[in-house]
Amino acid sequence: NGAVFLFKGMDDPEKMKSIKGISDIVMEEATEFNLEDYTQLQLRLRDRRHKHRQIFMMFNPVSKLNWVYDYFFKHEQPDTQIVRSTYKDNLFLDEVTRKHIEDLANSNPTYYKIYALGEFATLDKLIFPKYDVKRINTATPKMRELRDLFGLDFGYKNDPSAFIHLKVDLDNKILYFVEELIKKHALNDELAKMIIDAGYGKEIIYADSAEAKSIDEMKRYGVSRIRPAKKGPRCGILVAV
């Protein structure tokens, strides 16, 4: 008979290179591994007595930003079967736990996607975890009465520079994202031109206060009313004052 090995995490991939005669491998919490770990485990399936040698991978779909999603879901792999299960498939789940999971739809939509629907979703603490996407008519009397705010976050290579135009309903605590301008690898003169061409060159723009040099450059390039924002004590949220 072949051997079945259960792996959970991998502190040193070199330790498994001497393992022989494996017919089946179970990777518990597969997203905690990496592609190199998977490749090494795949090479260990050498038991010729078994025609069908298999690797079972189990995980919660926490985020698309991991190797499992990139390798198996973005690119179809041959001889691979994907089985998606949810709490409804658990015959031993009691009603109290079932209700807790279903209540996540209102209390924590991200957890609900992961643990109730079995969908990929990030567990990062998003500033705005719930939002609606709809067409906004900014010409209505109600929208014209709301305060306009403009923000700029500088980026370059990994993260893009991002400009946003918001309308703020303080009474109902609603933010309306009217427009966003996103650009990677943009120098400050290109950002200034982008903002001016979009018609926002004369607006008061609150920008990342850590980029004092960039703010001064933006002023020289024609975005004259840009100013540093005060950052909130938590999450680094930009605050317009």
Side-chain angles (χ1 to χ4, degrees):
N1 293 328
V4 178
F5 280 79
L6 171 64
F7 292 90
K8 185 172 183 178
M10 191 81 54
D11 60 340
D12 184 1
E14 296 295 321
K15 293 180 179 178
M16 62 185 172
K17 289 186 176 181
S18 61
I19 300 176
K20 299 179 181 179
I22 301 178
S23 61
D24 297 87
I25 293 174
V26 179
M27 296 175 68
E28 176 71 24
E29 301 295 346
T31 53
E32 295 183 7
F33 294 78
N34 56 45
L35 184 55
E36 172 65 18
D37 296 332
Y38 170 75
T39 303
Q40 287 295 334
L41 287 171
Q42 199 175 36
L43 293 173
R44 306 280 78 79
L45 289 172
R46 300 174 180 173
D47 191 337
R48 296 182 179 180
R49 293 171 297 175
H50 291 76
K51 181 178 179 181
H52 300 290
R53 298 182 289 272
Q54 302 177 89
I55 295 181
F56 299 89
M57 304 172 65
M58 297 177 289
F59 62 95
N60 287 311
V62 174
S63 171
K64 292 182 179 180
L65 301 177
N66 66 74
W67 74 276
V68 175
Y69 178 82
D70 187 64
Y71 190 79
F72 290 101
F73 290 83
K74 286 181 65 176
H75 308 93
E76 185 176 343
Q77 299 297 329
D79 301 321
T80 299
Q81 181 180 7
I82 297 175
V83 179
R84 188 188 303 270
S85 64
T86 70
Y87 73 102
K88 294 181 180 180
D89 298 303
N90 189 342
L91 301 179
F92 304 98
L93 200 64
D94 61 86
E95 287 303 316
V96 174
T97 304
R98 185 181 299 271
K99 185 177 185 307
H100 286 331
I101 293 174
E102 293 172 348
D103 287 345
L104 291 172
N106 297 316
S107 63
N108 194 318
T110 300
Y111 272 57
Y112 182 75
K113 286 183 179 180
I114 296 171
Y115 298 110
L117 303 181
E119 298 177 358
F120 281 93
T122 179
L123 280 173
D124 296 338
K125 295 182 179 179
L126 302 178
I127 298 172
F128 304 111
K130 295 186 69 174
Y131 57 87
D132 295 319
V133 179
K134 60 181 65 176
R135 189 177 298 276
I136 299 174
N137 183 0
T138 57
T140 63
K142 175 185 175 182
M143 294 299 292
R144 285 201 301 266
E145 292 175 358
L146 298 179
R147 182 184 179 188
D148 291 280
L149 288 177
F150 308 90
L152 176 64
D153 187 30
F154 296 101
Y156 187 69
K157 184 177 181 180
N158 296 323
D159 296 317
S161 295
F163 170 88
I164 57 171
H165 172 198
L166 305 176
K167 280 188 171 290
V168 183
D169 185 346
L170 292 176
D171 294 334
N172 296 300
K173 297 183 178 179
I174 298 175
L175 288 177
Y176 295 94
F177 287 73
V178 179
E179 187 171 11
E180 63 177 1
L181 306 173
I182 306 294
K183 192 174 180 64
K184 270 191 175 184
H185 304 288
L187 300 175
N188 289 330
D189 60 333
E190 296 174 304
L191 287 179
K193 185 178 186 304
M194 179 179 71
I195 291 171
I196 293 170
D197 290 348
Y200 296 109
K202 301 301 181 183
E203 303 291 351
I204 297 176
I205 299 173
Y206 297 92
D208 186 354
S209 57
E211 293 276 353
K213 180 179 179 181
S214 292
I215 291 173
D216 287 342
E217 287 185 356
M218 295 289 286
K219 290 179 180 178
R220 290 201 298 272
Y221 293 132
V223 185
S224 58
R225 303 180 74 190
I226 190 171
R227 60 185 65 175
K230 291 185 178 180
K231 290 191 176 182
R234 300 177 63 188
C235 302
I237 300 176
L238 298 181
V239 181
V241 294

